[in-house]
């Protein structure tokens, strides 16, 4: 029998009750995958932030308007410089790591807003092509970016980062020319997950890590300045997530996993519960890895392993300190030569190296001299070696030490600067590394120049170390690996660059989509070349390290130690987990494992063995 629900009024009278409210249908969980950039879990509401586009319609001008457009450009440059200056004042409220990350970048922005190629090129386009200032800036910036991105360079991430810097300054100039407003983060609620199409490093500087739970963007990658900033700020982040801004709406509940690179929109109760568990587990993991910072990287049977960091730009120094690196195993000096039309002289280079050496406070630093092969954005060098710059295959041409020996004045300037800065560090802390060595004669010729420069610098009264810094060789081609026993007689140490070694051995460019799947550092040919070079060094009791991506992979550490490597240099962020792996290993087990791997001829079987050994170590740990 159907009964009618009733309720009483304040006067006690009965009246029909309101029907029960219908629940809104629950939206289905949507999982979006992107690039894992900054580890951590965020559970909160989406706050979407958009920025008015910085583009402006293409515009031609009349000849009589040229001076007016140049004045507009000058005014926009002046305004942009003031804005960059204000951003620098903002640094004081950021964590120390973020301050040290952003300051060099803002300095680079300020330089680009000076008498740079971008500004000079824009002026020329206004004069000769009769373009409006914003059109001239956009065209010149894109021309520079295309030159950078078209380069044949194994360091694709570095190329993208440099192109992004140029485009970012162009966008800032365009906003100021067109008076388009910049993005504001004042209204972001506490605990929100910030969602945007893209974030610039300057945007990241405005974020308050105590208020924002996480960041997700549709554009961006793991190696850009924005990613480095977010890691320095400690904000969980996922970048490069296609379809994100279309799917996410302000107020949507979301769970972001910065380690897995995922964003779950409208998460289920199970997803939220799992996120809360992960938050607690992640806090414990960070605490455990943080404790490793001051502990030695020593195996269970007492073998000490040196864990060092690779440094591409000075902005990465805070990450190196934070990770607990035992020095810099590879300081790439190319940053000194990028985005400029003149060459840095000895004093310029000394001024760049000195703060890095000072920051490392006596820890070892290995500086690789200029590694250029016509493919990087170095106009002043390209002008001097025009035939190589236009060559069809720079990777097989006049690059690395070959180019430096052809233009010894470049090597002399760099040697002199490094020798001077080495005097400011404890003896032996600074070492010099030669790139792309293939024959012993290259090391011998470089050493003759090295010793000649040292005598000249001493004669002019400069203080130099009593014992010259060691001079080592990069082993990054099959020829160098197979000639390692002869090269070892001329060099003081080896560094095996596994990225290039695998590329040259397998004839695979990882940047080429059609063949990238063939790139495999666990290919037996690559491993045998590494073994040959390592054994050549160990026979002479000469230091040997690995400084490619293999060094930063915890699952490959047992194999590298088993081959006899005791020094690994990697991206700073990889050091804590590699140290954790080292501290769970026994050298005897690693040696037996490496012998078993080196008996194999099938890459798939090698991967199977590597995965099995790593899993066993994890379970025992």
């Amino acid at each position: 029998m159907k009964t009618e629900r009733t309720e009483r009024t304040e006067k006690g009278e009965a009246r029909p009750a309101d029907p029960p409210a219908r629940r809104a249908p629950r939206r289905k969980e949507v999982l979006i995958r992107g690039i894992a950039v900054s580890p951590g879990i965020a559970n909160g509401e989406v706050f979407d932030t958009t920025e008015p586009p910085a583009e402006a319609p293409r515009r031609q001008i009349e000849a009589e308007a040229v001076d007016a457009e140049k004045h507009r450009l000058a005014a926009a440059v002046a305004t942009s410089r003031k804005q960059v200056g204000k951003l620098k004042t903002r640094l004081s409220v950021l964590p120390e790591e973020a301050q040290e990350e952003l300051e060099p970048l803002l300095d680079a922005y300020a330089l680009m807003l000076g008498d740079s190629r971008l500004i000079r090129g824009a002026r020329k386009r206004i004069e000769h092509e009769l373009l409006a200032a914003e059109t001239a800036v956009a065209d010149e910036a894109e021309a520079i970016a295309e030159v950078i991105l078209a380069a044949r360079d194994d360091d694709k991430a570095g190329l993208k980062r440099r192109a992004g810097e140029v485009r970012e300054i162009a966008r800032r100039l365009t906003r100021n020319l067109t008076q388009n407003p910049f993005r504001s983060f004042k209204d972001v609620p506490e605990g929100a997950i910030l969602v945007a199409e893209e974030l610039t490093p300057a945007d990241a500087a405005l974020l308050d890590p105590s208020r924002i739970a996480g960041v997700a963007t549709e554009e961006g990658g793991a190696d850009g300045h924005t990613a480095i900033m977010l890691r320095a700020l400690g904000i969980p982040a996922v970048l490069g997530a296609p379809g994100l801004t279309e799917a996410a709406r302000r107020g949507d509940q979301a769970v972001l996993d910065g380690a897995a690179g995922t964003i779950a929109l409208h998460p289920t109760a199970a997803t939220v519960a799992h996120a809360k568990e992960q938050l607690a587990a992640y806090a414990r993991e960070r605490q455990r890895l943080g404790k490793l910072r001051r502990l030695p990287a020593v195996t269970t049977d007492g073998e000490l392993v040196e864990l060092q960091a690779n440094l591409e730009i000075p902005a990465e120094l805070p990450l190196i300190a934070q990770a607990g690196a035992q020095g810099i195993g590879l300081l790439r000096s190319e940053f000194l030569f990028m985005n400029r039309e003149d060459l840095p002289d000895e004093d310029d280079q000394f001024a760049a190296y000195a703060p890095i050496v000072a920051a490392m406070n006596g820890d070892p630093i290995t500086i690789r001299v200029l590694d250029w092969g016509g493919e990087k954005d170095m106009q002043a060098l390209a002008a001097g070696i025009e035939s190589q710059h236009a060559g069809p295959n720079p990777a097989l041409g006049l690059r690395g030490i070959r180019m430096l020996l052809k233009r010894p004045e470049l090597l002399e300037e760099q040697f002199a600067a490094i020798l001077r800065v080495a005097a400011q560090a404890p003896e032996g802390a600074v070492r010099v590394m030669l790139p792309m060595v293939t024959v012993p004669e290259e090391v011998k010729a470089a050493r003759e120049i090295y010793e000649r420069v040292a005598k000249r610098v001493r004669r002019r009264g400069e203080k130099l170390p009593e014992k010259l810094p060691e001079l080592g060789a990069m082993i990054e081609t099959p020829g160098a690996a197979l000639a390692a026993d002869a090269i070892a007689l001329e060099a003081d140490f080896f560094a095996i660059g596994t990225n290039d070694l695998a590329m040259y051995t397998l004839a695979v460019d990882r940047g080429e989509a059609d063949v990238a799947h063939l790139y495999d550092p666990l290919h037996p040919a690559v491993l045998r070349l590494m073994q040959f070079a390592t054994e050549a060094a160990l026979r002479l009791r000469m230091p040997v390290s690995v400084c490619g991506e293999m060094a930063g992979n915890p699952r490959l550490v047992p194999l590298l130690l088993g081959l006899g490597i005791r020094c690994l240099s990697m991206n700073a962020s990889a050091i804590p987990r590699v140290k954790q792996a080292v501290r769970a290993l026994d050298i005897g087990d690693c040696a037996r494992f490496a012998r078993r791997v080196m008996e194999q001829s099938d890459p798939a079987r090698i991967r199977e063995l590597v995965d099995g050994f790593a899993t066993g170590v994890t379970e025992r740990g």
Side-chain angles (χ1 to χ4, degrees), residues 269-289:
T271 299
V272 172
H274 182 58
K276 290 178 179 177
E277 291 174 5
Q278 284 183 298
L279 271 170
Y282 178 69
R284 292 192 296 270
E285 174 77 356
R286 283 192 68 179
Q287 189 175 17
R288 186 169 72 252
L289 289 176

Side-chain angles (χ1 to χ4, degrees), residues 118-154:
L118 174 63
I119 305 304
R120 289 197 305 271
R123 286 198 207 103
K124 288 178 183 177
R125 289 177 186 271
I126 291 172
E127 292 176 3
H128 303 309
E129 300 177 35
L130 298 180
L131 296 177
E134 54 269 27
T135 305
V137 166
D139 285 3
E140 184 63 22
E142 200 54 35
I144 296 171
E146 285 178 3
V147 169
I148 296 172
L149 293 173
R152 294 180 63 86
D153 190 333
D154 191 43

